[in-house]
Amino acid sequence: MAYNVLIVDDSQTMRKVIRKTVSLSGFEIGDCWEAGNGQEALDILRTCWVDLILTDLNMPVMNGLEMVKELVKDEIYRKIPVVLITTEGSEPRIEEAYALGIKGYIQKPFYPEAIRDTLLRIMEAPHHD
Amino acid sequence: MTKEIETKTLMIASQVFETMFFIPIEVQQEDDKRGDDTLRFFSAFFRGEIGFSGKQSGRLVVSIPIGLAKTMASNFLGLDESSVTHSQVFDVVNELCNVVCGNLFARIDKKTVWTLTVPQTREVTGYTFENGFEDDSLIVRFYAEGYPVHIQIRFTPSG
């Protein structure tokens, strides 16, 4: 099954690498959109059907946590699984992200297998919403 | 503390270079004097810089010869080196700073929330490495693909 994915990262290069790595990992991508920050991601969500959001944490304009806070306010958006892909490793911030409702966390640098395993675990869970 | 930071920086650099760029690093031995001067032989560098704050604050700077940075970008993006753009190389050096700095401080103290600034990379010409910082900065040296790489960490004095 292919999933529509939204990749949120302020580095265009990093977005391309994540997209490529996810594809190479064997996780099937349908449509894929890219956003440079949380606000751009919310704009995309208004017009596109997204099954999964992969987001960085530290970004200008609207960071990853601020974006998740906006997502959970919306009945539909809150059901979209969010996975952090970030260099962030401090426990308080990761705990805050999980408390807000993220479904997974992958620390950079990452192996394709780590991405595949995390994404499949989340997307193939019986009730991932 | 200095030795701990140096050891962790090298461990992280090794992991990052192998995972992201498929390049093993060679750690400089104490009796190896190459690292003190070899960067001087390069006419230009990429110099990536990122600020950090948490329990302590300061800056982390990565200096990389241009040839190595292009190879890293090529490997990272899976593109032929000739088709990698200047902008992509800058992005890759920025990402390197981000990943090394983020991982380093998470390993130094996981319980602290460390805030990182947006990394910035610029090309530096006619550069003498030691002029980049005051003498009290920690400099971690290693080689990758035969090129010297320096990571400098300087903590802002408290008080």
Side-chain angles (χ1 to χ4, degrees):
Chain A
M1 181 178 176
Y3 297 100
N4 294 345
V5 178
L6 171 58
I7 300 170
V8 192
D9 195 302
D10 55 333
S11 162
Q12 187 186 37
T13 301
M14 200 63 214
R15 295 197 300 267
K16 289 194 186 313
V17 168
I18 290 171
R19 183 176 186 158
K20 196 171 190 173
T21 307
V22 172
S23 297
L24 287 173
S25 77
F27 185 86
E28 207 175 337
I29 295 180
D31 290 324
C32 184
W33 294 275
E34 296 181 14
N37 59 60
Q39 185 57 58
E40 284 183 21
L42 293 174
D43 293 341
I44 288 170
L45 286 172
R46 290 193 189 98
T47 55
C48 305
W49 183 263
V50 171
D51 299 309
L52 172 68
I53 299 172
L54 308 177
T55 184
D56 192 9
L57 208 48
N58 297 316
M59 294 176 287
V61 184
M62 181 186 283
N63 69 36
L65 282 187
E66 291 167 341
M67 179 189 74
V68 175
K69 285 175 186 169
E70 290 301 314
L71 293 176
V72 297
K73 290 178 187 170
D74 186 280
E75 284 295 322
I76 294 174
Y77 299 162
R78 74 169 56 160
K79 295 177 180 172
I80 304 171
V82 177
V83 175
L84 287 186
I85 300 183
T86 178
T87 60
E88 183 68 53
S90 66
E91 286 177 355
R93 196 166 276 161
I94 300 306
E95 284 165 7
E96 181 188 2
Y98 273 110
L100 284 170
I102 67 157
K103 297 296 181 193
Y105 158 64
I106 297 165
Q107 189 172 18
K108 297 175 189 172
F110 48 73
Y111 289 99
E113 295 79 10
I115 290 191
R116 181 197 60 214
D117 293 350
T118 302
L119 300 190
L120 288 179
R121 174 178 57 78
I122 292 164
M123 301 310 290
E124 293 182 353
H127 301 289
H128 69 248
D129 56 345
Chain B
M1 185 65 170
T2 302
K3 189 67 190 170
E4 183 195 349
I5 294 172
E6 186 176 356
T7 304
K8 284 183 173 164
T9 303
L10 281 172
M11 281 173 58
I12 290 161
S14 175
Q15 184 190 359
V16 169
F17 270 71
E18 288 196 18
T19 309
M20 289 173 66
F21 311 120
F22 314 110
I23 296 173
I25 69 166
E26 181 193 346
V27 178
Q28 186 177 355
Q29 301 303 311
E30 284 188 5
D31 58 352
D32 184 346
K33 301 298 182 194
R34 287 180 296 174
D36 292 329
D37 294 311
T38 44
L39 275 168
R40 295 175 191 278
F41 300 141
F42 292 85
S43 58
F45 298 86
F46 282 124
R47 186 172 193 223
E49 182 166 347
I50 187 166
F52 56 86
S53 59
K55 268 186 182 167
Q56 291 177 287
S57 61
R59 291 182 295 156
L60 182 143
V61 175
V62 180
S63 296
I64 301 180
I66 290 172
L68 174 60
K70 283 183 179 168
T71 301
M72 288 162 62
S74 161
N75 291 356
F76 189 54
L77 292 160
L79 298 172
D80 189 80
E81 213 166 301
S82 60
S83 61
V84 174
T85 66
H86 217 58
S87 161
Q88 286 171 326
V89 179
F90 273 55
D91 260 5
V92 166
V93 179
N94 281 340
E95 195 58 32
L96 173 65
C97 292
N98 196 28
V99 175
V100 169
C101 197
N103 276 272
L104 177 62
F105 289 101
R107 289 191 200 185
I108 288 173
D109 183 356
K110 271 190 127 150
K111 302 288 181 190
T112 292
V113 174
W114 296 93
T115 302
L116 308 184
T117 63
V118 176
Q120 292 194 317
T121 296
R122 61 195 169 100
E123 189 173 331
V124 181
T125 53
Y127 174 61
T128 56
F129 188 78
E130 286 74 12
N131 289 341
F133 266 140
E134 292 83 338
D135 290 339
D136 58 348
S137 64
L138 169 68
I139 303 178
V140 178
R141 298 178 169 92
F142 58 88
Y143 290 84
E145 299 268 293
Y147 289 99
V149 179
H150 287 184
I151 299 176
Q152 287 178 302
I153 302 157
R154 181 165 190 269
F155 293 99
T156 305
S158 55

